[in-house]
Amino acid sequence: MSGKTKATSSEEEGLYEHESAVKEAKWRALIDGVSDAILIIDEIGIIQEVNPATTQLFGYAPEELIDQNISIVMSPPYRNQYESYIKHYLETGEKHIIGRRRETTAMRKDGTVFPVTLSVSEAKYDGVRLFVGIIHDLSDIKSNEEMLFQAQKYEAIAQLTAGIAHDFNNLLTVVQGNLEMLVAHVSSDVGGEVLTEVLDAIDDGSHMVKQLLAFGRKQVLKPDVVSVNGLVRDTLRLLRRTITETVEIQDTLARELPMVKVDPIQLENALMNLVINARDAMSEKGQILIETSVVSAADLPPYLPARSIHDSYVCISVQDDGAGMSKEVLDHAFEPFFSTKKANEGSGLGLSMVQGFIKQSGGEVYIESQLDRGTTVSLYLPCYEENNKASSDASPNGRSYGMGNGELILIVEDDPRVLRVNTQRLEKLGYGVLQAKNGKRALEVLATNPSVALLFSDIAMPGGMRGPELAVQACRLLPHLKVLLTTGYAAEQATSAPPCYKILTKPYSMAQLAKSMREVLSEK
């Protein structure tokens, strides 16, 4: 009987050990397979066990964590609080962190502080009270939230900028048009000089608005198929004459570089902006290197959205050996009005305008920089896929355009001052003019005036019908009708127009208006 009892006890002991081993294996498989960090601590906050994810997240080896206080992975000012939380819970039963999930920060072995969520639960094992902490890394989530916040902030500023630019361009159009009318009535040299100076100031104001629109990615671009190497060489000829002699500019241009489709004037301005920034980053003398190359989408820097859009890109990089930027400065480099230059030495719009233009052109901008080791700014533009050649000259060809021949023009404009000055301009150029303040009225005018030769309409108008929509309906009504659209901003509105419609950007001079009129009327 006793032998039978002894055998049963042994079997039970073996079964117990087997069940314990199975439970241990399940427990180990569970915590080892979890991607979040799991730390088991005792009542006084000493770490008893960690899973592999903990060592990966914090950079410690397991033996560096076991028998250490939990504070080793917590960041100031929370480092000394968790032990007191547990002590308070054991003494009073009040739960401040037990059974709750909270956001806090943790610290890796290298001192890096990062955001986490911490969940602490209570457990008992062999009569011993333990606490299980689960730590989830929030770095990617917080980074995405910050990117979304920045994108929303930039979009809000861009929308405000675009609205102001639209109204300001209308004002410039009115001022420029009326001053041009005065030129013929001013006989004195002094008066002529004053008018010339004011008209020059209007050109400066127009350029400033284009800079603001470039930041907001709402400028009206005039893309052309461009040879990047040719544009870089032409720009460097000018820059080498204007950059101080103590700064050396070198270039390494790739052979057989594909074409890109981009606004050549804006690309030239962006390149000049980057080179001037590079020069300003040097205290006295230094070197600027400009390189061009072809980069596949897979080789673009991480986190650039363009990686999944096009197969290959032309890269233009501007590298300097100047002061470089700290991480804090680099984080704000593209923000509008952020500048490290002295007062009155920069607007802080340079890089944000470059980024706005490149993104509007379907590309990306990437900056690499280290303090005292210089900066490299890389522009990535998608390769042009068609086998068209770049135009040899992106500027107007200088042909003179004559007066009108009595053609009837319908102007559609909601701003009465712009409407009035453009009517005077066109009449002076020899055109007949009809007026309408919105799309609905314009269609009524066209229905009773089939001899109208050209529709000259603003793109953005009240009343629910925009310029491109009006153009489509007007051409159905009068198939022979020619169309010229005008806008003060909003590239997305301009590009929504069918490509057969020419666009004249506000403000424009009388000569530019005359040229555009003759171009459109001469089309077959």
Side-chain angles (χ1 to χ4, degrees):
M1 190 75 175
S2 61
K4 186 177 180 180
T5 303
K6 184 176 181 181
T8 302
S9 175
S10 176
E11 290 173 358
E12 290 178 349
E13 184 177 344
L15 181 61
Y16 174 78
E17 290 177 354
H18 174 72
E19 290 178 347
S20 297
V22 171
K23 289 180 180 179
E24 175 69 22
K26 289 180 178 179
W27 166 250
R28 178 54 57 189
L30 177 64
I31 68 168
D32 286 358
V34 174
S35 59
D36 288 337
I38 298 178
L39 301 92
I40 300 175
I41 61 176
D42 62 17
E43 295 180 349
I44 60 173
I46 302 302
I47 299 173
Q48 303 297 312
E49 190 171 353
V50 297
N51 69 336
T54 302
T55 63
Q56 294 175 7
L57 181 61
F58 290 97
Y60 290 101
E63 60 270 15
E64 293 178 295
L65 291 173
I66 303 300
D67 295 332
Q68 296 295 319
N69 192 281
I70 185 64
S71 63
I72 192 174
V73 297
M74 307 314 298
S75 66
Y78 311 109
R79 173 161 283 190
N80 299 319
Q81 294 180 1
Y82 287 92
E83 187 177 342
S84 62
Y85 287 152
I86 295 174
K87 183 179 179 181
H88 179 78
Y89 166 68
L90 294 174
E91 292 176 351
T92 66
E94 295 179 3
K95 298 180 179 180
H96 290 290
I97 62 170
I98 308 299
R100 299 182 181 181
R101 180 179 175 182
R102 59 179 299 187
E103 287 192 16
T104 182
T105 55
M107 187 166 69
R108 296 186 175 91
K109 182 179 179 180
D110 62 6
T112 304
V113 175
F114 61 104
V116 299
T117 55
L118 171 65
S119 303
V120 180
S121 59
E122 183 182 4
K124 288 187 177 180
Y125 183 76
D126 286 343
V128 178
R129 178 176 279 173
L130 299 171
F131 296 92
V132 180
I134 301 176
I135 298 177
H136 178 70
D137 185 4
L138 292 178
S139 299
D140 289 342
I141 294 175
K142 292 298 181 181
S143 176
N144 290 336
E145 287 178 353
E146 179 62 22
M147 290 172 63
L148 177 61
F149 172 75
Q150 292 293 339
Q152 291 172 335
K153 181 176 72 173
Y154 290 162
E155 181 60 25
I157 296 174
Q159 291 292 344
L160 175 63
T161 301
I164 294 173
H166 174 264
D167 293 341
F168 191 61
N169 274 331
N170 274 346
L171 291 174
L172 289 177
T173 301
V174 173
V175 174
Q176 185 177 31
N178 282 286
L179 287 174
E180 287 175 336
M181 297 294 178
L182 284 176
V183 171
H185 302 284
V186 175
S187 57
S188 69
D189 292 340
V190 175
E193 290 176 1
V194 170
L195 281 177
T196 300
E197 187 169 339
V198 176
L199 288 169
D200 288 344
I202 290 173
D203 287 338
D204 292 341
S206 175
H207 180 67
M208 183 185 301
V209 173
K210 286 182 172 64
Q211 288 181 315
L212 290 171
L213 291 175
F215 152 66
R217 306 175 202 171
K218 296 182 181 295
Q219 62 183 333
V220 179
L221 300 178
K222 297 179 180 179
D224 198 358
V225 184
V226 174
S227 165
V228 169
N229 282 347
L231 184 142
V232 170
R233 289 191 189 99
D234 291 343
T235 306
L236 288 184
R237 288 193 193 100
L238 174 62
L239 287 170
R240 287 192 172 108
R241 291 196 299 267
T242 56
I243 296 294
T244 175
E245 294 180 358
T246 60
V247 175
E248 180 185 4
I249 302 179
Q250 295 186 349
D251 62 87
T252 303
L253 307 183
R255 290 186 177 183
E256 300 181 0
L257 200 66
M259 299 288 192
V260 298
K261 191 166 187 178
V262 68
D263 187 320
I265 295 176
Q266 294 298 330
L267 181 57
E268 180 180 302
N269 289 339
L271 183 58
M272 293 179 67
N273 197 315
L274 294 180
V275 172
I276 291 171
N277 278 352
R279 178 203 63 187
D280 293 345
M282 302 174 190
S283 56
E284 294 181 0
K285 56 184 178 181
Q287 184 181 88
I288 299 173
L289 175 62
I290 298 169
E291 292 184 288
T292 61
S293 60
V294 183
V295 179
S296 68
D299 292 329
L300 287 181
Y303 312 117
L304 289 185
R307 290 169 65 89
S308 59
I309 299 176
H310 299 279
D311 293 333
S312 59
Y313 293 79
V314 169
C315 175
I316 311 170
S317 65
V318 178
Q319 178 181 344
D320 67 68
D321 54 5
M325 291 182 273
S326 65
K327 184 181 183 304
E328 291 72 22
V329 171
L330 193 58
D331 288 342
H332 297 282
F334 289 122
E335 291 185 6
F337 309 112
F338 177 81
S339 177
T340 58
K341 298 178 181 179
K342 297 178 182 178
N344 301 321
E345 289 188 2
S347 65
L349 282 172
L351 278 176
S352 61
M353 290 187 298
V354 170
Q355 184 191 49
F357 156 65
I358 294 296
K359 281 185 171 289
Q360 191 177 345
S361 302
E364 292 289 344
V365 183
Y366 187 72
I367 302 181
E368 297 174 281
S369 186
Q370 290 184 351
L371 280 175
D372 302 320
R373 300 188 66 178
T375 299
T376 300
V377 183
S378 299
L379 311 180
Y380 296 93
L381 291 165
C383 296
Y384 185 58
E385 297 178 355
E386 297 183 20
N387 294 322
N388 295 339
K389 294 183 179 180
S391 60
S392 59
D393 184 4
S395 62
N397 57 22
R399 286 178 54 195
S400 60
Y401 289 82
M403 303 287 285
N405 297 314
E407 296 96 330
L408 191 57
I409 310 297
L410 173 59
I411 304 179
V412 188
E413 172 63 62
D414 62 292
D415 188 315
R417 293 170 300 182
V418 176
L419 183 62
R420 184 168 55 253
V421 74
N422 278 338
T423 297
Q424 293 171 348
R425 281 172 154 181
L426 290 174
E427 288 176 344
K428 190 172 182 179
L429 288 169
Y431 296 100
V433 180
L434 297 175
Q435 299 178 341
K437 64 180 180 179
N438 57 45
K440 180 181 178 181
R441 177 57 185 155
L443 292 175
E444 293 172 354
V445 172
L446 290 172
T448 56
N449 294 273
S451 60
V452 172
L454 185 144
L455 171 69
F456 181 38
S457 173
D458 196 2
I459 286 181
M461 293 187 298
M465 186 183 299
R466 296 165 54 252
E469 297 165 339
L470 169 62
V472 171
Q473 294 193 38
C475 289
R476 288 174 183 166
L477 189 64
L478 301 177
H480 69 275
L481 189 68
K482 302 296 176 61
V483 176
L484 174 61
L485 300 179
T486 182
T487 182
Y489 77 122
E492 65 268 23
Q493 290 181 338
T495 54
S496 68
C500 57
Y501 299 150
K502 181 177 175 61
I503 297 171
L504 181 60
T505 306
K506 297 177 183 177
Y508 41 82
S509 67
M510 190 167 178
Q512 291 170 322
L513 177 61
K515 175 180 179 293
S516 296
M517 284 287 166
R518 294 317 314 165
E519 279 184 343
V520 175
L521 287 169
S522 299
E523 292 175 351
K524 294 182 180 181

